[in-house]
Amino acid sequence: MATKTWKIEKDLCRCCHGEGAFNNLAEPRTFLDKVEVYSDMLRECLDIDIPPVPGELCAITYTICNACIARLRDACNFKKQVQDCEQRFMTLYYKNAIQGLKPATKVKEEIEVSIEHAQSDTDADIVLKKEDEDDDDDNHFLGGDDDDGMSDDDLPIKPPKQSVSTMKTRPKPKPKPKAPPVVKKLKPPPKPKKAEPKPAKEKKGEDKPLTFTLTKHEDGTQKYSCNVCEKNFKRRDLFTQHYKMVHLKMKHPAFRSCHVCNAKVRTRKRAAHMETEHGIPAPSCGACGRKFAFPSEVLRHQKLYHMGEKNYQCDVCDLKCRSVGHLKAHKMKHVPDRPFKCEVCQKAFKWKSGLDTHMMIHLNVRPHVCKVCQEAFVQKSSLRYHLSRKHPDLV
């Protein structure tokens, strides 16, 4: 049996196998002021993970066409619509804010029947007698001789008609006298109820009761302190994740089952799991071989480290940096003063981390302990220097 060869001349859409000039699945795109990454949309909406293949086919086979992008957007919007509607419905349901309309009961009106003259028993007998006479005339007409000379015996036997006189007649009931009209008593109008103040509805965008304390520093950095355990975080999302998992005991939403072996794996560790357990290679950089969790991180790594893309420029010396963190660290070189001062010895530092390390000396906090002589130090570098001088055999 001859093997068929699939020759790809242009980009290949991994969703419909169409060829053309398409968009990369992992490259961020902006649509209606929103950044879209199509590989992440497939993973989050449809739970489909499309890995890139290594080698020359990676760039031309890891794309998606415009028609599939439109269908993917519709699927994501529909999923979000269903989730929003279901959340709103269940919220109103548990608040008993949904009521059903009861069907209105129809009342049938009674029809009044007026009888002008009631027949007496004698009148009924007269009518029955007349009907008997009419029946006799009919029988006489049917029983006569025909032109063919057929007798009564030659005629087909018919079941005898039941005369009206032999049927039991029930006398018609006498009309009941009409009941006098019932006059309905009007109920007194209900007393107006006092209008109770309705609870204020939560407007969209209003924050719930805060469970953290926000502290802003002079250098522009922020600190989110948990009001329960007083732990500090640099970003709001990190605090939210800590509060849900530690204090609310909620399960981590990033755990998902593998579509091959049904093992529960974190989203960021799925690529490593697929490579070690199932032999599917993780997204990696073709230049340095570094592996990543998502293909979008490969593109970002290549732009920053191999292509030298630097989009963050310093306002003072026009130096371009790779990220916001590098730019903030560079701007501290242009600050003449040291904003962070020790309240004990008035020693100043450019960085808050340096002040925090310095305060550990005044508080006698020495976390780094030598395992040989149990001598403690404030900084890890001091412990390394101690090991090189006192215990060189352990270094």
Side-chain angles (χ1 to χ4, degrees):
M1 179 178 180
T3 58
K4 294 182 180 180
T5 304
W6 190 1
K7 294 182 180 181
I8 301 175
E9 298 178 357
K10 299 181 180 180
D11 296 339
L12 176 69
C13 176
R14 291 287 289 274
C15 299
C16 67
H17 287 182
E19 293 188 28
F22 303 143
N23 299 325
N24 192 289
L25 277 168
E27 186 176 353
R29 297 273 178 173
T30 304
F31 178 75
L32 297 179
D33 297 334
K34 291 184 179 179
V35 180
E36 297 178 339
V37 180
Y38 305 122
S39 59
D40 296 344
M41 293 169 65
L42 286 168
R43 188 182 301 108
E44 294 173 0
C45 180
L46 305 177
D47 199 12
I48 298 175
D49 192 4
I50 300 180
V53 296
E56 300 177 354
L57 297 176
C58 179
I60 63 174
T61 61
Y62 200 65
T63 57
I64 182 172
C65 65
N66 294 330
C68 293
I69 290 174
R71 299 181 68 183
L72 179 59
R73 285 192 192 121
D74 293 341
C76 294
N77 294 334
F78 180 70
K79 180 180 179 180
K80 187 176 183 300
Q81 171 190 326
V82 174
Q83 290 174 343
D84 294 343
C85 292
E86 184 65 14
Q87 182 180 4
R88 183 170 178 268
F89 174 79
M90 296 307 297
T91 303
L92 295 176
Y93 174 76
Y94 286 118
K95 289 183 179 180
N96 293 329
I98 301 177
Q99 296 179 356
L101 296 177
K102 296 181 180 180
T105 56
K106 296 182 180 180
V107 180
K108 295 182 179 180
E109 298 180 356
E110 295 183 357
I111 301 174
E112 295 182 358
V113 179
S114 60
I115 302 175
E116 295 179 355
H117 299 285
Q119 292 182 350
S120 61
D121 296 338
T122 56
D123 295 338
D125 296 338
I126 296 171
V127 172
L128 292 175
K129 288 180 179 179
K130 288 181 178 180
E131 290 179 354
D132 292 339
E133 292 175 358
D134 295 338
D135 293 338
D136 294 339
D137 295 340
D138 295 338
N139 294 332
H140 176 72
F141 177 75
L142 293 172
D145 294 337
D146 294 334
D147 295 337
D148 297 335
M150 294 178 64
S151 64
D152 294 339
D153 297 332
D154 297 331
L155 292 174
I157 300 174
K158 294 183 180 180
K161 292 185 179 180
Q162 188 177 3
S163 62
V164 181
S165 60
T166 57
M167 295 175 64
K168 294 182 179 180
T169 58
R170 294 181 180 178
K172 295 184 179 180
K174 295 181 180 180
K176 296 181 180 179
K178 294 183 179 180
V182 180
V183 180
K184 295 183 179 179
K185 295 182 180 180
L186 297 176
K187 295 182 179 180
K191 296 181 180 179
K193 296 182 180 179
K194 294 182 179 180
E196 298 180 355
K198 296 182 179 180
K201 296 182 178 179
E202 295 182 358
K203 296 182 180 179
K204 293 183 178 180
E206 290 187 356
D207 294 334
K208 296 180 180 179
L210 296 178
T211 55
F212 64 89
T213 303
L214 176 60
T215 306
K216 296 183 179 180
H217 301 288
E218 296 178 358
D219 60 343
T221 58
Q222 297 179 350
K223 180 180 70 174
Y224 296 88
S225 301
C226 180
N227 294 340
V228 181
C229 62
E230 299 182 357
K231 194 172 182 180
N232 300 326
F233 301 91
K234 293 182 180 180
R235 300 200 312 266
R236 174 81 177 267
D237 57 340
L238 297 177
F239 161 76
T240 304
Q241 180 180 357
H242 155 78
Y243 187 78
K244 288 182 178 179
M245 294 183 62
V246 177
H247 301 299
L248 298 182
K249 305 296 182 183
M250 295 176 64
K251 293 183 179 180
H252 200 288
F255 282 100
R256 291 185 179 180
S257 59
C258 175
H259 60 275
V260 179
C261 63
N262 295 327
K264 297 292 183 179
V265 187
R266 283 180 180 269
T267 304
R268 289 198 62 83
K269 294 185 177 181
R270 175 176 288 188
H273 167 78
M274 297 298 293
E275 184 176 22
T276 56
E277 299 295 334
H278 307 294
I280 300 176
S284 59
C285 176
C288 61
R290 185 178 173 183
K291 297 181 180 181
F292 298 89
F294 305 107
S296 58
E297 295 181 351
V298 179
L299 295 177
R300 182 175 177 273
H301 161 77
Q302 291 176 348
K303 289 179 180 180
L304 295 179
Y305 292 94
H306 298 296
M307 300 174 64
E309 184 175 314
K310 298 179 179 180
N311 299 326
Y312 302 94
Q313 187 173 358
C314 178
D315 300 334
V316 181
C317 63
D318 296 336
L319 179 68
K320 294 184 178 180
C321 300
R322 298 172 182 172
S323 62
V324 180
H326 287 87
L327 180 61
K328 287 183 178 180
H330 164 74
K331 282 186 176 181
M332 292 302 296
K333 296 180 180 179
H334 302 297
V335 178
D337 300 331
R338 296 171 179 259
F340 302 99
K341 293 183 180 181
C342 176
E343 298 178 356
V344 181
C345 61
Q346 302 303 318
K347 189 175 180 179
F349 300 89
K350 278 191 174 183
W351 304 97
K352 185 178 180 297
S353 59
L355 176 61
D356 294 339
T357 306
H358 171 76
M359 289 302 298
M360 294 170 66
I361 300 174
H362 296 296
L363 299 175
N364 197 21
V365 178
R366 300 174 182 273
H368 305 284
V369 183
C370 177
K371 296 180 180 180
V372 180
C373 60
Q374 303 300 319
E375 188 174 354
F377 300 93
V378 175
Q379 299 181 4
K380 192 174 183 179
S381 59
S382 301
L383 175 60
R384 286 199 297 264
Y385 179 76
H386 165 78
L387 291 173
S388 63
R389 293 291 302 276
K390 301 294 183 180
H391 314 288
D393 297 337
L394 301 178
V395 178

